[in-house]
Amino acid sequence: MNKISNKEVISDVLSRVAGVDKDIIVLASDSRGSASMTSFAEKYPQQFVEVGIAEQNLVGIAAGLASVGKKPFITSPACFLTMRSIEQVKLDVAYSQMNVKIVGISGGVSYGALGMSHHSLQDIAVMRAIPGISIIIPADRYETEKMMSSLLDYEGPVYVRVGRNPVEDVYSDLNYNYEIGKAIVMRQGNDITIIATGETVKIAVDASDKLKEEGIGCRVLNMHTIKPLDEEAIIKAAHETGRIITIEEHSIFGGLGAAVAEVVVQNKPVPMKILGIPDEPAIAGNSKQIFDYYGLSVSNLYNVSMSLLK
Amino acid sequence: MNDVLDLKIKATQIRLDLINMIYESKSGHIGGSLSSADILTVLYYNVMNIDPNNPNWEERDRFILSKGHSVEAYYSVLADKGYFPKEELKTYCKFGTRLIGHPNNKIPGIEMNTGALGHGLSIAVGMALGAKMDNKSFRVFTLMGDGELAEGSNWEAAMAASHYKLNNLIGIVDRNKLQISGNTEEVMSLEPLEDKWKSFGWDVLTTDGNDIEKLIDTFNAAIASANDKPKLILAYTTKGKGVKFIENKANWHHRVPTEEEYKAAISELQELMEVYLNEQNIK
Ligand SMILES: Cc1ncc(C[n+]2csc(CCOP(=O)(O)OP(=O)(O)O)c2C)c(N)n1
Ligand SMILES: [Mg+2]
């Protein structure tokens, strides 16, 4: 099992480039430890801004820094960044089109039994409805590295969500094409399509492999960019496979599933199933227990696929 | 229960209970829980007008744990007061429990769900304002962290509390001078903190927040005050209080003790307990 978390990759990449590009600024809100940014703060004290426990101030300051030419990367828990500071995100960052990268750490149900205050299960829904900001959720450490290379050349507002713990690899190296806004076909197949994002990509890939043993061709799309959404890949999947399942670490409302459904119903209506966290405060437990409880698992994905295929 | 020695024994028992919870569940916020154990003990066993058998009693004093991460101390107190069975503490943070890692108002005795910092004082203002509207005499207490005070919402609430002359509101700051990343004055300086609260129209009382006797006196003074200002108790505490190797160390904010550390912590507190129990026998 891989031991490197996606947030550590982000920290490593920023540490690598900050020595050359002095405009790169990392901001934290008493969150440097949980964001794996302690070593960055020690190495580049002039490029690190601590604001204390004040997430609204955090996003506003980042917008101000961007307006004078800095390249701010905010690193703080996703739950607070996308709720407490949402007006700063909407106005100061997205509406004003400031070059701020908002990195939400410990996203989804990473914080497990700490409860709803610490879960970010509405972040995609909220962010998606704001014009002018991209949303990216990398699937593993390799993809996080690819994403970071792209982001360093990308001017404009982006929200990135990563989990707390290391995730199992879905790639084995950096040797593949990655482009913001373009879904990646992880498995080919023409019977059914699973569209996944972030940590659920691994589950989708494993489910597809299991379905293959039954002779079922299950396409898997890694939708690392939720916005702008790769509509073309979705429409193609609807045409070619006729059935779509989405799976995400997010509320069943307003997330990846809803985004895909909007495209499907308006272009090529096909049967769909949306897997995610239902409309309730998530049950207490670690994230694996929570995933299993709500059917974000290989076995449930397999069963749901089978019933859609009937 | 008023005797100072009895309360010291209570606070020590609360510390033992909360360390057990954290060790068993492998999660929790040990530093801030230990730092606030004496404040919670004095509130629940001496100051507040409450009836654990009737948690929804309308006239009860209200309490909000704004620094919701100190929930282990809070649950231990509530269980000991009889709001729910002590046995249930064993389910803390386990699968399917209602005793999640931040206060949950599905549990009797808990008014509000907290966990995101900077909410408690606004809620307390609303409760205190409601009491005034209905001519009710209950008082409202809220416990905040010092690092928490960087959230601007606290100062919006502070302004509202004095604007509405909420002398039925008592805020307490657990002034342990530490937050996750280190010393509060290095992370985001708060001083001069007393002056800040005063300039927002509050009466400020300072005390040693780990001294039961002084805490009782300070709460009494705050309650006895006849003016129309909200009261702020600036309680100077030691983060991790009660376990020497945990005291005053930022990295013990949410570390879980190893087996060795756990045993050492428990035996240190048990020794203290023996001392108190002997004193009690001599009396
Ligand atoms: C809005 C919000 N931001 C961040 C956090 C994460 N967090 C939990 S505890 C903590 C530090 C709190 O420090 P302090 O208020 O001084 O509490 P204490 O020292 O008493 O533990 C932080 C940043 C949170 N719970 N809520
Ligand atoms: Mg503190």
Side-chain angles (χ1 to χ4, degrees):
Chain A
M1 170 81 187
N2 159 48
K3 293 265 186 326
I4 302 165
S5 65
N6 295 345
K7 62 185 188 177
E8 286 171 86
V9 175
I10 294 176
S11 174
D12 287 349
V13 172
L14 289 174
S15 286
R16 248 183 275 145
V17 294
V20 186
D21 188 345
K22 292 291 171 196
D23 285 334
I24 288 181
I25 310 287
V26 170
L27 294 97
S29 53
D30 201 12
S31 50
R32 73 184 77 172
S34 31
S36 306
M37 285 295 174
T38 306
S39 61
F40 183 100
E42 280 160 9
K43 196 166 165 198
Y44 302 105
Q46 306 300 325
Q47 286 165 265
F48 181 80
V49 178
E50 171 63 67
V51 306
I53 308 169
E55 295 80 7
Q56 294 176 300
N57 203 23
L58 175 71
V59 177
I61 290 174
L65 283 167
S67 81
V68 297
K70 300 293 175 196
K71 299 171 185 166
F73 281 78
I74 294 173
T75 55
S76 182
C79 54
F80 308 128
L81 280 177
T82 59
M83 287 287 142
R84 189 59 150 272
S85 346
I86 199 66
E87 191 170 72
Q88 279 77 10
V89 172
K90 175 185 154 195
L91 301 183
D92 311 345
V93 177
Y95 188 29
S96 300
Q97 280 297 293
M98 287 300 126
N99 184 23
V100 177
K101 305 297 186 284
I102 300 171
V103 180
I105 56 162
S106 301
V109 294
S110 292
Y111 280 127
L114 293 190
M116 187 157 134
S117 61
H118 283 60
H119 294 160
S120 54
L121 294 172
Q122 299 79 26
D123 53 341
I124 300 176
V126 173
M127 286 287 182
R128 213 164 66 77
I130 298 174
I133 184 163
S134 301
I135 305 170
I136 306 180
I137 309 183
D140 73 354
R141 57 182 163 145
Y142 296 110
E143 190 162 280
T144 305
E145 175 115 27
K146 301 282 265 187
M147 171 196 75
M148 285 305 288
S149 318
S150 302
L151 284 186
L152 292 170
D153 298 326
Y154 181 101
E155 173 99 17
V158 179
Y159 170 60
V160 173
R161 186 225 263 193
V162 290
R164 183 192 203 184
N165 298 318
V167 286
E168 273 187 68
D169 293 336
V170 287
Y171 295 101
S172 45
D173 53 42
L174 295 169
N175 214 353
Y176 69 97
N177 283 330
Y178 175 92
E179 200 184 320
I180 292 172
K182 282 268 169 290
I184 296 169
V185 182
M186 307 296 295
R187 293 287 185 274
Q188 295 288 357
N190 286 321
D191 298 320
I192 189 165
T193 298
I194 300 173
I195 306 181
T197 190
E199 301 193 12
T200 58
V201 172
K202 174 71 181 159
I203 301 170
V205 166
D206 288 351
S208 172
D209 292 346
K210 196 169 165 202
L211 286 160
K212 195 173 182 181
E213 289 165 19
E214 306 294 319
I216 294 159
C218 173
R219 184 178 304 184
V220 175
L221 294 183
N222 167 7
M223 198 62 78
H224 51 75
T225 308
I226 309 260
K227 197 177 179 183
L229 190 64
D230 188 347
E231 299 192 2
E232 209 180 302
I234 296 169
I235 296 166
K236 192 163 182 272
H239 275 287
E240 292 174 3
T241 74
R243 296 162 192 87
I244 294 178
I245 301 172
T246 60
I247 178 166
E248 66 198 297
E249 187 179 355
H250 186 272
S251 163
I252 49 167
F253 296 151
L256 172 70
V260 169
E262 287 160 14
V263 174
V264 169
V265 290
Q266 295 182 83
N267 292 280
K268 169 71 184 154
V270 296
M272 261 194 79
K273 190 84 194 161
I274 295 174
L275 303 185
I277 308 289
D279 191 30
E280 63 186 37
I283 193 164
N286 62 36
S287 50
K288 172 84 170 71
Q289 289 169 327
I290 297 173
F291 269 48
D292 287 345
Y293 182 76
Y294 292 117
L296 304 179
S297 59
V298 174
S299 62
N300 189 51
L301 207 39
Y302 176 89
N303 292 340
V304 172
S305 303
M306 286 312 227
S307 66
L308 260 190
L309 282 161
K310 262 187 202 143
Chain B
M1 186 167 53
N2 284 312
D3 189 74
V4 171
L5 185 56
D6 286 343
L7 293 195
K8 285 182 179 172
I9 292 169
K10 269 295 170 215
T12 309
Q13 188 55 53
I14 298 303
R15 288 189 162 92
L16 284 162
D17 289 348
L18 76 89
I19 290 174
N20 279 319
M21 281 165 73
I22 290 170
Y23 183 67
E24 271 222 10
S25 66
K26 302 284 177 253
S27 66
H29 294 81
I30 196 163
S33 274
L34 288 170
S35 119
S36 60
D38 303 296
I39 297 168
L40 289 171
T41 301
V42 169
L43 272 171
Y44 273 85
Y45 295 88
N46 183 279
V47 175
M48 287 207 305
N49 218 352
I50 45 169
D51 178 7
N53 292 319
N54 190 3
N56 298 323
W57 175 41
E58 277 196 29
E59 304 299 326
R60 71 191 182 277
D61 283 345
R62 306 304 204 269
F63 174 76
I64 306 136
L65 184 66
S66 192
K67 47 169 296 200
H69 58 281
S70 296
V71 71
E72 302 89 12
Y74 191 28
Y75 286 161
S76 301
V77 168
L78 291 175
D80 188 70
K81 290 295 288 186
Y83 282 100
F84 59 86
K86 227 171 179 173
E87 191 61 16
E88 201 179 335
L89 292 177
K90 293 207 173 94
T91 71
Y92 174 67
C93 277
K94 301 261 170 72
F95 182 67
T97 184
R98 59 176 179 171
L99 297 195
I100 61 168
H102 287 101
N104 171 8
N105 69 0
K106 290 213 169 63
I107 298 162
I110 297 184
E111 308 283 350
M112 278 286 173
N113 292 340
T114 51
L117 296 165
H119 286 243
L121 195 56
S122 296
I123 296 166
V125 165
M127 289 175 161
L129 193 56
K132 293 268 181 197
M133 287 170 176
D134 292 348
N135 285 315
K136 291 207 185 285
S137 59
F138 67 80
R139 298 155 304 183
V140 183
F141 299 85
T142 183
L143 177 61
M144 295 164 275
D146 48 3
E148 177 180 6
L149 296 180
E151 292 285 3
S153 50
N154 293 303
W155 303 100
E156 298 172 20
M159 213 183 287
S162 59
H163 178 82
Y164 287 107
K165 305 191 184 347
L166 301 179
N167 57 357
N168 52 347
L169 168 56
I170 299 181
I172 308 126
V173 173
D174 185 345
R175 184 70 174 118
N176 54 33
K177 298 195 172 153
L178 286 177
Q179 54 192 105
I180 300 181
S181 312
N183 187 298
T184 56
E185 301 315 290
E186 281 157 26
V187 175
M188 184 50 62
S189 40
L190 293 165
E191 294 297 343
L193 189 54
E194 205 177 321
D195 292 347
K196 281 196 174 76
W197 285 98
K198 282 185 178 156
S199 73
F200 274 77
W202 289 57
D203 259 353
V204 180
L205 298 88
T206 60
T207 191
D208 179 340
N210 294 125
D211 183 316
I212 298 273
E213 202 163 357
K214 288 182 182 156
L215 277 169
I216 294 174
D217 291 345
T218 310
F219 276 109
N220 286 340
I223 288 164
S225 160
N227 68 27
D228 61 11
K229 294 179 172 185
K231 319 291 167 209
L232 193 278
I233 296 179
L234 198 47
Y236 289 93
T237 54
T238 300
K239 197 157 176 169
K241 180 72 184 181
V243 182
K244 282 284 170 293
F245 64 87
I246 297 179
E247 286 182 3
N248 268 320
K249 297 216 176 63
N251 68 348
W252 275 102
H253 177 78
H254 48 23
R255 242 193 82 184
V256 174
T258 61
E259 188 182 344
E260 225 170 285
E261 289 165 340
Y262 166 72
K263 286 182 179 154
I266 294 292
S267 78
E268 186 175 340
L269 285 164
Q270 274 167 348
E271 269 173 43
L272 183 65
M273 188 65 119
E274 298 272 306
V275 173
Y276 289 151
L277 291 175
N278 283 336
E279 266 181 60
Q280 202 176 40
N281 285 337
I282 293 164
K283 264 192 167 176

